[in-house]
């Protein structure tokens, strides 16, 4: 399959960490229907360590693969390490994504950040709001695909 | 099991078509414009193909122009009518919202050149009526261009009635019949068609070759300039192997149309009945006036590309209206035009059948698609919200 790398296809066909966590420490959902991707990440955090992570994704092959890879990259890591996860790292770990699919890795990074923010908010843990910039999806859509 | 169910995208070249092409690569390889015997033999073959195709369409051979395919034919037809219109100060064109991009993008370009375009709504019945065309006609209308049948959702338009309305009003009528030729009975005179586009690879002929029929009396506008081929209107050395393959494929398609239609329609109806049992899905396109081989559904809560990839892994080649596959993330303009909201338009599946498909293949599709839809729904937050009542179902 030339559309995606073998790694992407592996994570798409056999996605890791699919599902949800009841009473999760933090939940993050990003994306919108216009783009056709919605990602939801559930984190279970104990002593600043991500002891469990699950995802649910509505989206294309690379959206599902990006979610799967991103969850694998933060499982067992500290919340600080998870905060440092970038979309580029996710895409690189998947041996690259087609240019018009980079958007999917951005969603994965955002979904994790969103879930962490939810955890901070719930537990009244102070954070720098600059770490969680509000991304406008229409703008993102246009930045990735151009107008029209 | 391997099932090819993407015949609206392209078809397998038939053995008849291939056999008809091969001599024109290595034996009768002359240029039809050459005066020597090999050239003249090629010229004879070219004119023979033209006559046969004209016969199938119900027109004169001199009304047939060979092109590189459907896109070029559509461009040339629209440019032809626009040029004639502009000369008379008529700069209004009527079309539909679910045309192929070969038509829509040409019209968009004409808008920038000062033309006005009315796109008829296809929200009702996923089709248009001749009355809609009549109501949109203006004094300055120079062209009505409506596809014969829609490539994504299979709706067959009331072409003969639309043509009659145009004839009565004295307006040129073009139809993009790329999905219809070889699959539906067409007779350009009886159907009141002034210009018709067709493409060889949609009926088991080769790609890279097509036809534009232009009624005598309409002066064709060149898209490119060059030599005297196609009476100077479509210059460039003729793609003779392609033309011979296309003519042979069309001979076959016309000769076997009744049998093929009966077989393919039965498969289609079985597929539609079976897939309709999947909860929260909806059939796209006209349920009655429909291409024999077209099946198009939207499934709630899932996205089309992941559906296609999983079907491919199970040996089923299908396609999706979701443009995710083609690079842009906007869903198909056709599905949006028939009123499908973005959320559900992303979850589309098109299966397009041909006479080679078998009953066993349909059984395989009917076994696999429900499984794959369920699997994707299980990991979809959208589906979860639908089930929890946090989102409203769009389909019954």
């Amino acid at each position: 399959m030339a559309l995606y790398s073998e790694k992407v296809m592996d994570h798409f066909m056999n996605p890791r960490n699919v599902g949800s966590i009841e009473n999760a420490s933090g939940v993050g959902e990003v994306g919108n229907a216009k783009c056709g991707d919605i990602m939801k990440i559930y984190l279970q955090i104990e002593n600043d360590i991500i002891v469990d992570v699950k995802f649910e994704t509505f989206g294309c092959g690379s959206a599902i693969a990006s979610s799967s890879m991103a969850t694998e990259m933060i499982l067992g890591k500290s919340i600080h390490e998870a905060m440092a996860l970038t979309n580029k790292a996710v895409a690189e770990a998947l041996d690259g994504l087609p240019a018009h699919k980079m958007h999917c890795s951005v969603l994965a990074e955002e979904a994790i950040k969103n879930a962490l923010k939810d955890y901070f908010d719930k537990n009244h843990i102070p954070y720098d709001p600059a770490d969680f910039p509000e991304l406008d999806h229409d703008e993102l859509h246009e930045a990735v695909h151009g107008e029209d | 099991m391997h099932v090819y169910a993407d015949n609206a995208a392209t078809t397998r070249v038939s053995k008849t078509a291939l056999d008809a092409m091969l001599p024109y690569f290595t034996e009768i390889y002359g240029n039809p414009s050459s005066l020597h015997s090999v050239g003249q033999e090629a010229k004879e073959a070219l004119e023979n193909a033209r006559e046969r195709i004209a016969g199938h369409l119900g027109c004169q051979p001199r009304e047939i122009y060979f092109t590189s395919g459907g896109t070029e034919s559509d461009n040339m037809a629209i440019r032809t009518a626009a040029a004639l219109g502009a000369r008379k100060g008529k700069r209004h064109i009527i079309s539909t919202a679910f045309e192929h991009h070969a038509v829509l993008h040409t019209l968009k370009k004409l808008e920038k050149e000062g033309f006005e375009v009315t796109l008829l709504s296809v929200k009702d019945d996923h089709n248009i009526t001749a009355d809609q065309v009549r109501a949109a006609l203006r004094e300055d209308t120079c062209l009505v261009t409506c596809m014969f049948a829609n490539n994504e959702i299979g709706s067959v338009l009331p072409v003969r009635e639309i043509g009659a309305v145009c004839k009565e009003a004295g307006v040129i009528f073009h139809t993009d019949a790329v999905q219809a030729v070889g699959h539906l009975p067409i007779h350009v005179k009886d159907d009141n068609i002034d210009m018709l586009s067709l493409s060889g690879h949609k009926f088991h002929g080769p790609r890279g070759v097509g036809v534009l029929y232009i009624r005598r009396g309409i002066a064709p506008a060149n898209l490119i300039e060059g030599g005297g081929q196609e009476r100077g209107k479509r210059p460039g050395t003729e793609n003779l192997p392609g033309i011979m393959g296309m003519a042979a494929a069309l001979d076959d398609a016309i000769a076997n149309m009744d049998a093929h239609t009966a077989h393919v329609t039965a498969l289609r109806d079985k597929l539609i009945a079976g897939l309709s049992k999947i909860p929260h899905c909806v059939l796209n396109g006209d349920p009655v006036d429909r291409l024999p081989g077209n099946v198009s559904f939207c499934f709630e809560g899932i996205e089309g590309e992941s559906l296609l990839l999983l079907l491919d892994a199970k040996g089923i080649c299908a396609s999706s209206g979701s443009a995710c596959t083609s690079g842009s993330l906007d869903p198909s303009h056709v599905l949006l035009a028939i009123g499908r909201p973005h959320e559900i338009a992303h979850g589309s599946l098109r299966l397009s059948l041909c006479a080679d498909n078998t009953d066993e293949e349909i059984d395989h599709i009917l076994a696999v698609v429900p499984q794959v839809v369920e699997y994707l729904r299980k990991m979809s937050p959208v589906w979860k919200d639908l089930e929890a009542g946090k989102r409203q179902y769009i389909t019954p």
Side-chain angles (χ1 to χ4, degrees):
Chain A
M1 170 80 52
L3 186 60
Y4 292 126
S5 72
E6 275 178 37
K7 272 254 179 75
V8 172
M9 283 310 288
D10 176 37
H11 276 264
F12 168 64
M13 298 298 292
N14 312 290
R16 283 65 146 174
N17 309 311
V18 176
S20 59
I21 299 173
E22 260 187 70
N23 305 314
S25 316
V27 180
E29 183 174 317
V30 295
N32 69 17
K34 186 181 176 188
C35 289
D37 314 284
I38 294 179
M39 250 177 231
K40 197 167 182 177
I41 299 268
Y42 302 80
L43 299 176
Q44 194 60 44
I45 299 168
E46 284 168 20
N47 302 320
D48 283 2
I49 300 293
I50 295 167
V51 295
D52 197 9
V53 51
K54 295 277 187 241
F55 81 88
E56 293 167 329
T57 291
F58 160 84
C60 59
S62 60
I64 290 169
S66 295
S67 319
S68 169
M69 179 55 90
T71 57
E72 211 171 47
M73 289 169 85
I74 61 166
L75 182 60
K77 299 286 165 62
S78 73
I79 52 175
H80 307 288
E81 285 171 299
M83 275 297 293
L85 182 78
T86 64
N87 79 296
K88 276 200 182 129
V90 173
E92 273 165 26
L94 288 167
D95 290 340
L97 287 170
H100 66 279
K101 297 287 187 180
M102 283 304 286
H103 170 77
C104 297
S105 63
V106 175
L107 282 180
E109 177 194 327
E110 269 191 69
I112 287 169
K113 290 227 165 90
N114 242 294
L116 287 167
K117 184 170 178 290
D118 182 49
Y119 167 70
F120 294 151
D121 287 339
K122 277 182 186 161
N123 294 281
H124 309 290
I125 298 168
Y127 57 83
D128 182 357
D131 286 339
F132 303 98
E134 286 279 325
L135 263 175
D136 181 314
H137 270 270
D138 282 345
E139 267 175 38
L140 185 64
H141 185 89
E142 273 165 32
V144 179
H145 309 292
E147 280 183 69
D148 193 17
Chain B
M1 185 181 259
H2 179 82
V3 184
Y4 184 77
D6 200 14
N7 288 281
T10 195
T11 56
R12 175 185 182 150
V13 174
S14 69
K15 182 157 192 322
T16 317
L18 185 62
D19 287 346
M21 295 173 74
L22 291 176
Y24 297 91
F25 286 108
T26 51
E27 289 160 43
I28 312 161
Y29 51 82
N31 188 324
S33 301
S34 296
L35 291 180
H36 50 64
S37 52
V38 186
Q40 286 310 298
E41 221 181 313
K43 173 86 178 161
E44 248 172 67
L46 175 71
E47 294 314 319
N48 175 272
R50 193 189 309 278
E51 273 169 37
R52 280 150 58 204
I53 292 171
H56 293 317
L57 295 178
C59 65
Q60 296 300 312
R62 58 176 293 127
E63 296 174 312
I64 296 289
Y65 296 84
F66 290 117
T67 68
S68 64
T71 293
E72 185 191 337
S73 294
D74 285 341
N75 272 263
M76 186 168 167
I78 294 167
R79 286 284 169 188
T80 290
L84 290 169
R87 248 181 263 165
K88 296 178 194 158
K90 294 184 171 186
R91 289 191 166 81
H92 176 237
I93 297 173
I94 298 169
S95 189
T96 77
F98 67 176
E99 293 298 310
H100 191 273
H101 283 132
V103 168
L104 288 180
H105 288 173
T106 305
L107 294 178
K108 211 163 217 179
K109 205 155 181 205
L110 281 171
E111 278 185 317
K112 287 184 184 146
E113 296 169 24
F115 282 78
E116 235 184 287
V117 175
T118 302
L119 295 182
L120 302 175
S121 166
V122 290
K123 282 209 172 88
D124 293 341
D125 304 324
H126 303 177
N127 208 331
I128 64 158
T129 63
D131 284 338
Q132 275 176 280
V133 174
R134 187 180 287 114
L137 282 171
R138 304 193 326 207
E139 279 296 307
D140 61 343
T141 304
C142 63
L143 169 69
V144 172
T145 171
C146 298
M147 62 203 330
F148 207 109
N150 185 272
N151 51 317
E152 275 186 43
I153 61 171
S155 299
V156 177
L157 280 67
V159 163
R160 187 174 292 194
E161 289 76 17
I162 296 167
V165 166
C166 296
K167 201 174 194 176
E168 196 189 311
V171 173
I172 291 176
F173 174 47
H174 165 249
T175 185
D176 170 358
V178 163
Q179 294 290 336
V181 171
H183 305 284
L184 298 171
I186 297 176
H187 189 286
V188 292
K189 306 293 173 193
D190 292 351
D191 292 338
N192 306 307
I193 297 164
D194 295 312
M195 294 194 278
L196 175 143
S197 306
L198 71 88
S199 177
H201 72 110
K202 305 293 190 181
F203 47 83
H204 304 281
R207 64 199 71 176
V209 63
V211 162
L212 175 60
Y213 149 77
I214 305 182
R215 178 175 58 75
R216 218 177 148 178
I218 298 174
N222 284 48
L223 292 180
I224 53 172
E225 302 302 328
Q229 294 88 355
E230 302 303 291
R231 296 203 304 287
K233 299 306 176 189
R234 204 290 184 178
T237 301
E238 300 87 348
N239 171 10
L240 193 56
I243 290 167
M244 299 315 287
M246 170 169 64
L250 190 56
D251 289 344
D252 244 15
I254 302 284
N256 299 302
M257 191 182 286
D258 290 348
H260 286 174
T261 301
H263 172 68
V264 175
T265 305
L267 297 182
R268 176 199 72 185
D269 291 346
K270 180 175 173 178
L271 201 44
I272 289 177
L275 293 178
S276 297
K277 290 183 192 152
I278 295 174
H280 299 290
C281 72
V282 62
L283 179 71
N284 301 312
D286 195 316
V288 181
D289 294 320
R290 190 176 190 91
L291 280 172
N294 177 282
V295 175
S296 169
F297 275 93
C298 284
F299 300 100
E300 287 207 59
I302 62 168
E303 193 277 338
E305 191 210 72
S306 39
L307 177 61
L308 291 191
L309 292 173
L310 289 172
L311 291 182
D312 190 37
K314 304 243 181 197
I316 299 169
C317 298
S319 85
S320 168
S322 161
C324 212
T325 21
S326 66
S328 120
L329 294 191
D330 286 326
S332 132
H333 72 283
V334 174
L335 297 175
L336 296 180
I338 60 169
R340 300 277 181 248
H342 276 74
E343 294 91 325
I344 185 170
H346 276 295
S348 65
L349 173 68
R350 178 188 69 182
L351 298 154
S352 44
L353 309 173
C354 75
D356 297 339
N357 289 114
T358 65
D359 210 45
E360 291 70 39
E361 291 179 345
I362 301 303
D363 289 338
H364 181 62
I365 296 173
L366 286 174
V368 169
V369 173
Q371 284 174 14
V372 171
V373 169
E374 199 190 332
Y375 168 78
L376 285 171
R377 279 177 171 173
K378 270 194 181 147
M379 72 163 85
S380 162
V382 175
W383 181 250
K384 209 173 174 186
D385 284 354
L386 287 165
E387 281 194 311
K390 290 184 204 162
R391 265 175 201 272
Q392 293 302 306
Y393 289 108
I394 294 157
T395 61

